[in-house]
């Protein structure tokens, strides 16, 4: 009998990670070995410069590293627990490797040599763009720094990765730490049956009688929108908005104050080391927007258009609450509840009334049918693929019966799973020595899970979330690019990366599509025409209030990263207060520490980039307006979007691709029309 230790599957990763065989203890040695392989391959390539002799072999081994690290990072997000420590150890090693690579002058010289060669102009576009973006990233990675500055930049990069992970951990731990338990159902008056069933299941999983409210998305939103118990709304709201901060019920326990301060200080220092005024300037070096003034002007102009409408929305809500709900003064924990009451009074429709007509499985099948009509691809489940949780499904994307991509779908909220919704890469499409590697994606949401007597039922808002994430997935999976650096969403300007996702959301509002994605979970009957009409009429209900909320986040993020020296926790709060005074229309609780859980900018890729949602929304609304002209399932227009946007990845500049699709540069009017905001000429639009 052999005593040899079994080889970790991470070292020889197949296309689909063997989730049934991955073990936390395998992570560190496997990642260390894969990084060693990368370093050895790099040294070989430096001795014989060229695309085929240096860059292609390096791409091959780095892809192996990425495909091993991807499931580790993913499991940390969706299961946490035993994967946190190995993930953080691996993250430190991987960050150090990429930082060192970004400062390797010998490799930089090879990129420069290739770009300067007479033959470069006749290279395939994908390879040219990969070299051009590589040269840019070397500069942004500190390749030109000397001595102490070089060491500091590398150390800062390492530390920033650690701090981002800590920020996310604190938010998750703070979310999990707070619950509220009751055995008196009357305290939950107003909550819909779906929410009550979930609260009972949460209690049972903890060995308790009655009901448990948590800070996971579905539970929190149900209370804020429907609970008639004002004290409960206040309690839950204050716990939620104070997560990971110095205040609230767990104040100081998972406090992100010092983490934010250090992140901002290090980001400012990184920008200064590269000769830039602030981190916002550094962030824009890889985006569509030309400079910080353009972004601030764009956001400021949009705020000026939206705020008067938002103030009218809020004044109407206050008047309704005073007259009909007996609330002389609206508090932050009253807004969603009162808004739902006003929406029902005005349109006789609510998200809960819609929920029975949007069973998750029906929505999913309808989404797949929409994508087939638009882009000629079909989706087929493969139940033989090992997954990390019983709720997860795996699907193949096919064209003409041939597999072209795959994706995992993890739809439901659960403890120890990061909140929100996102798409991430399992592996990218690329040409390998053994043939074509297909792109594979993770799609993650946090919908209410099925209960003993009901399937998962979605609000229409959650339907749009599913379409949004699938739009990201299509961008990753439908690429025709074979070079990893510009395949799928790789190399795409961050302020254009939301274009396909926001674009696909538009179909959720088309009557023809609603018929495809809806059907009562018990009877299968379609959404009644009267309910459909009321839902569509309510589409832009309080849309201006939603717009200024997004602008509040975007302006806060961008102005924060325009500071030259970072900021203290008190400074951060003061800046947020100033931005709110500029654009917000709703009251804020004294305990509100939104910034302490703003993972998009402190633990995600949106630092000095949250404006991207609005920037890309201009693009997506304008792109969809062509379908409004030609027909929402016009085959030629769908094919045009597929070829111009989805297949091209990052191989060409985003503005050029948009212009190729639309026949002109983007305009703001479609966004204003779709949002129900009175159109006035904006001074600036993306481009």
């Amino acid at each position: 009998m052999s005593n040899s230790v079994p080889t970790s599957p991470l070292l020889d990763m197949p296309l689909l990670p063997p989730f049934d065989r991955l073990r936390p203890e395998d992570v560190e040695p496997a990642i260390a070995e894969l990084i060693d392989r990368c370093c050895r391959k790099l040294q070989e390539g430096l001795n014989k410069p060229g695309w085929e002799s240096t860059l292609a072999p390096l791409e091959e081994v780095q892809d192996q590293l990425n495909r091993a690290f991807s499931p580790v990072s993913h499991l940390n997000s969706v299961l946490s627990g035993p994967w946190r420590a190995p993930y953080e150890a691996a993250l430190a090693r991987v960050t150090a490797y990429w930082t060192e690579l970004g400062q390797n002058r010998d490799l930089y010289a090879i990129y420069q040599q290739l770009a300067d060669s007479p033959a470069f102009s006749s290279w395939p576009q994908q390879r040219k763009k990969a070299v051009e973006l590589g040269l840019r990233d070397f500069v942004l990675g500190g390749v030109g720094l000397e001595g102490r500055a070089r060491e500091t930049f590398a150390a800062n990069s390492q530390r920033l990765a650690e701090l981002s992970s800590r920020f996310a951990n604190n938010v998750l731990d703070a979310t999990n730490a707070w619950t509220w338990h009751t055995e008196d159902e009357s305290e939950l008056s107003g909550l819909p049956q779906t929410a009550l069933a979930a609260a009972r299941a949460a209690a049972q999983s903890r060995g308790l009688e009655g009901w448990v409210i948590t800070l996971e998305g579905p539970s929190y939103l149900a209370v804020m929108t429907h609970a008639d118990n004002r004290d409960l709304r206040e309690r839950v709201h204050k716990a939620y908005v104070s997560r990971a901060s110095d205040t609230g019920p767990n104040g100081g326990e998972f406090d992100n104050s010092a983490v934010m301060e250090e992140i901002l200080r290090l980001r400012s220092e990184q920008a200064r080391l590269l000769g830039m005024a602030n981190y916002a300037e550094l962030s824009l070096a890889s985006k569509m927007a030309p400079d910080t003034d353009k972004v601030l002007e764009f956001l400021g102009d949009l705020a000026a258009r939206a705020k008067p409408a938002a103030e009218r929305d809020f004044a109407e809500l206050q008047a309704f609450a005073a007259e009909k709900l007996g609330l002389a003064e609206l508090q932050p924990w009253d807004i969603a509840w009162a808004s739902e009451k006003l929406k029902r009074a005005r349109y006789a429709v609510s998200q809960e009334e819609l929920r029975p007509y949007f069973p998750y499985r029906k929505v999913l099948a309808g989404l797949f049918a929409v994508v087939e009509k638009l882009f000629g691809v079909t989706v087929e489940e493969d139940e033989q693929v090992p997954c990390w949780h019983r709720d997860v499904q795996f699907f193949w994307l096919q064209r003409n019966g041939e597999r072209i991509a795959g994706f995992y779908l993890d739809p439901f909220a659960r403890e120890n799973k990061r909140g929100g919704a996102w798409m991430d890469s399992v592996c990218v499409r690329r040409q390998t020595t053994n043939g074509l590697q297909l792109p594979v994606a993770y799609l993650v949401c946090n919908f209410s899970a099925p209960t003993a007597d009901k399937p998962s039922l979605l609000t229409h808002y959650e339907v749009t979330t599913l379409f949004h994430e699938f739009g990201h997935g299509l961008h990753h999976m439908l690429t025709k690019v074979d070079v990893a650096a510009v395949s799928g969403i790789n190399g795409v300007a961050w302020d254009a990366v939301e274009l396909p996702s926001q674009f696909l959301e538009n179909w959720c509002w088309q009557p023809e599509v609603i018929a495809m994605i809806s059907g009562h979970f018990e009877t299968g009957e379609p959404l009644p025409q009267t309910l459909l009409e009321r839902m569509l009429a309510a589409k832009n209900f309080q849309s201006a209030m939603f717009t200024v909320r997004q602008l509040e986040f975007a302006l806060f993020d961008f102005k924060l990263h325009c500071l030259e020296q970072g900021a203290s926790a008190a400074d951060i709060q003061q800046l947020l207060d100033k931005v709110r005074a500029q654009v917000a229309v709703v009251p804020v609780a004294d305990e509100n520490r939104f910034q302490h859980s703003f993972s998009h900018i402190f633990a995600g890729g949106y630092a000095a980039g949250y404006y991207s949602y609005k920037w890309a929304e201009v693009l997506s609304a304008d792109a969809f307006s062509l379908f409004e002209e030609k027909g929402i399932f016009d085959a030629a227009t769908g094919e045009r979007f597929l070829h111009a946007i989805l297949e091209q990845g990052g191989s060409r500049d985003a503005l050029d691709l948009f212009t190729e699709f639309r026949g002109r540069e983007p305009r703001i009017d479609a966004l204003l029309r779709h949002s129900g905001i009175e159109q006035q000429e904006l001074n600036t639009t993306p481009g």
Side-chain angles (χ1 to χ4, degrees):
M1 181 182 287
S2 170
N3 292 320
S4 61
V5 178
T7 304
S8 165
L10 292 170
L11 286 173
D12 189 21
M13 184 66 73
L15 181 71
L16 304 179
F19 284 104
D20 54 341
R21 294 192 292 121
L22 296 184
R23 302 182 306 168
E25 58 267 29
D26 289 341
V27 172
E28 284 191 73
I31 294 297
E33 166 62 23
L34 290 167
I35 289 174
D36 283 345
R37 291 181 192 177
C38 290
C39 293
R40 291 196 296 271
K41 190 61 70 176
L42 172 62
Q43 288 310 309
E44 290 173 19
L46 293 178
N47 295 327
K48 40 184 179 180
W51 178 275
E52 297 294 349
S53 54
T54 308
L55 303 194
L58 193 56
E59 180 188 285
E60 186 84 30
V61 289
Q62 287 176 170
D63 183 66
Q64 293 170 16
L65 173 62
N66 289 337
R67 288 194 297 116
F69 185 61
S70 167
V72 175
S73 173
H74 179 71
L75 289 169
N76 178 59
S77 293
V78 295
L79 294 179
S80 192
W83 292 95
R84 180 178 292 186
Y87 162 71
E88 290 181 345
L91 176 66
R93 285 182 180 271
V94 170
T95 303
Y97 169 74
W98 288 111
T99 302
E100 236 175 88
L101 191 79
Q103 295 188 345
N104 190 304
R105 289 178 181 168
D106 293 332
L107 185 59
Y108 176 58
I110 291 175
Y111 270 79
Q112 194 68 64
Q113 182 183 326
L114 293 173
D116 292 341
S117 68
F120 186 71
S121 60
S122 60
W123 274 28
Q125 174 62 24
Q126 299 177 16
R127 291 189 178 185
K128 277 200 296 189
K129 191 65 173 178
V131 170
E132 290 165 2
L133 293 179
L135 285 169
R136 179 200 71 188
D137 292 343
F138 271 113
V139 173
L140 299 180
V143 75
L145 299 176
E146 302 284 353
R148 174 61 67 85
R150 186 182 180 85
E151 294 170 9
T152 300
F153 192 93
N156 287 356
S157 298
Q158 187 83 16
R159 181 64 176 156
L160 281 165
E162 295 170 10
L163 290 166
S164 290
S165 181
R166 184 184 300 177
F167 186 96
N169 288 342
N170 284 341
V171 175
L172 179 61
D173 291 344
T175 301
N176 288 336
W178 188 94
T179 59
W180 181 81
H181 172 236
T182 183
E183 295 185 19
D184 180 358
E185 188 172 3
S186 68
E187 292 199 84
L188 301 174
S189 168
L191 282 192
Q193 285 302 313
T194 51
L196 286 172
R200 183 176 282 285
Q204 289 170 347
S205 71
R206 291 164 172 79
L208 299 172
E209 296 294 320
W211 298 264
V212 164
I213 299 298
T214 73
L215 297 183
E216 291 170 16
S219 179
Y220 169 73
L221 290 172
V223 171
M224 299 318 301
T225 309
H226 301 288
D228 295 327
N229 182 340
R230 196 183 192 195
D231 289 340
L232 175 60
R233 294 201 309 269
E234 178 178 1
R235 183 194 299 264
V236 174
H237 178 81
K238 287 182 174 179
Y240 187 84
V241 300
S242 63
R243 287 175 303 155
S245 79
D246 57 326
T247 188
N250 295 101
E253 193 174 349
F254 309 102
D255 191 359
N256 267 329
S257 297
V259 180
M260 291 188 301
E261 290 176 351
E262 191 174 356
I263 286 174
L264 292 173
R265 179 179 63 78
L266 293 177
R267 284 177 179 167
S268 295
E269 188 171 10
Q270 297 295 75
R272 288 198 305 276
L273 287 168
L274 295 177
M276 299 181 187
N278 51 53
Y279 186 80
E281 198 175 300
L282 172 55
S283 172
L284 292 188
S286 55
K287 293 183 171 65
M288 280 179 74
D291 53 53
T292 56
D293 288 345
K294 181 85 168 180
V295 173
L296 290 170
E297 188 181 6
F298 170 74
L299 294 174
D301 282 352
L302 198 48
R305 301 302 180 279
K307 189 172 183 183
E311 287 173 330
R312 288 194 296 274
D313 283 349
F314 188 61
E316 288 173 359
L317 184 64
Q318 285 179 305
F320 174 81
E323 183 181 343
K324 303 292 186 182
L325 305 177
L327 294 177
E329 184 179 356
L330 281 175
Q331 296 296 336
W333 44 90
D334 299 323
I335 306 298
W337 181 78
S339 294
E340 182 70 8
K341 299 287 189 189
L342 174 57
K343 188 177 183 181
R344 285 188 68 94
R346 181 175 296 174
Y347 300 104
V349 68
S350 76
Q351 289 288 329
E352 287 306 314
E353 192 179 0
L354 294 169
R355 200 190 279 270
Y357 291 94
F358 291 108
Y360 166 72
R361 301 285 180 188
K362 175 71 174 179
V363 174
L364 194 62
L367 166 60
F368 295 161
V370 168
V371 169
E372 182 176 0
K373 278 176 167 281
L374 282 173
F375 306 122
V377 293
T378 56
V379 184
E380 183 179 290
E381 184 175 4
D382 187 341
E383 296 182 1
Q384 303 306 309
V385 174
C387 298
W388 56 91
H389 191 274
R390 64 181 179 274
D391 293 337
V392 180
Q393 295 172 275
F394 180 84
F395 300 88
W396 292 108
L397 215 59
Q398 300 180 135
R399 178 175 280 122
N400 300 323
E402 181 186 354
R403 290 175 178 175
I404 59 171
F407 64 96
Y408 297 88
L409 182 53
D410 185 348
F412 307 129
R414 59 178 175 268
E415 199 171 359
N416 291 317
K417 179 181 176 184
R418 200 178 94 201
W422 68 90
M423 186 283 290
D424 205 355
S425 168
V426 180
C427 57
V428 298
R429 174 186 161 116
R430 53 180 294 274
Q431 195 63 47
T432 77
T433 52
N434 299 316
L436 185 66
Q437 175 174 291
L438 300 183
V440 182
Y442 302 112
L443 298 174
V444 184
C445 298
N446 271 282
F447 304 141
S448 297
T451 60
D453 59 346
K454 280 199 180 93
S456 174
L457 303 174
L458 307 188
T459 63
H460 190 258
Y461 171 78
E462 289 173 327
V463 172
T464 63
T465 297
L466 182 61
F467 273 64
H468 180 103
E469 297 310 328
F470 204 73
H472 280 308
L474 291 175
H475 203 184
H476 175 74
M477 293 187 287
L478 294 183
T479 188
K480 283 287 186 73
V481 177
D482 296 341
V483 177
V486 288
S487 178
I489 65 170
N490 287 350
V492 177
W494 200 253
D495 42 8
V497 85
E498 296 294 335
L499 164 57
S501 54
Q502 293 177 331
F503 166 80
L504 200 61
E505 286 183 38
N506 288 286
W507 272 263
C508 299
W509 293 98
Q510 307 309 307
E512 188 178 341
V513 173
I514 291 169
M516 297 163 63
I517 62 176
S518 66
H520 195 281
F521 77 98
E522 289 176 320
T523 65
E525 68 172 292
L527 190 68
Q529 184 64 28
T530 54
L531 196 51
L532 171 64
E533 289 170 0
R534 296 200 300 264
M535 183 185 102
L536 295 176
K539 177 177 186 283
N540 289 320
F541 175 68
Q542 295 185 343
S543 64
M545 282 172 61
F546 175 78
T547 296
V548 296
R549 182 171 175 266
Q550 291 296 100
L551 292 170
E552 173 190 322
F553 299 164
L555 280 164
F556 165 65
D557 161 48
F558 206 75
K559 290 186 173 186
L560 186 65
H561 287 103
C562 281
L563 300 174
E564 294 182 11
Q565 302 293 331
S568 68
D571 293 335
I572 295 169
Q573 184 66 56
Q574 191 173 33
L575 176 63
L576 182 53
D577 292 342
K578 283 183 180 176
V579 169
R580 283 174 172 154
Q582 177 189 347
V583 298
V585 298
V586 299
V588 175
D590 291 340
E591 294 84 354
N592 188 301
R593 297 292 185 273
F594 159 74
Q595 62 274 28
H596 287 71
S597 59
F598 197 3
S599 295
H600 273 79
I601 71 169
F602 288 114
Y606 286 85
Y610 197 85
Y611 77 89
S612 300
Y613 282 101
K614 281 300 169 194
W615 190 272
E617 201 175 342
V618 173
L619 306 177
S620 63
D622 199 7
F624 182 68
S625 68
L626 187 59
F627 285 86
E628 291 178 306
E629 293 170 21
K630 305 286 188 183
I632 64 162
F633 285 124
D634 181 66
T637 310
E639 193 172 335
R640 191 165 156 185
F641 189 84
L642 173 68
H643 295 330
I645 307 293
L646 298 176
E647 291 182 349
Q648 301 276 346
S651 64
R652 289 170 53 201
D653 287 344
L655 182 58
D656 291 343
L657 293 177
F658 179 90
T659 305
E660 178 181 310
F661 168 70
R662 199 64 181 87
R664 56 166 173 74
E665 293 198 355
R667 296 175 186 161
I668 190 76
D669 52 334
L671 171 62
L672 296 174
R673 176 167 50 83
H674 291 170
S675 302
I677 297 171
E678 184 182 351
Q679 183 181 343
Q680 299 179 41
E681 190 61 34
L682 275 175
N683 295 334
T684 55
T685 58

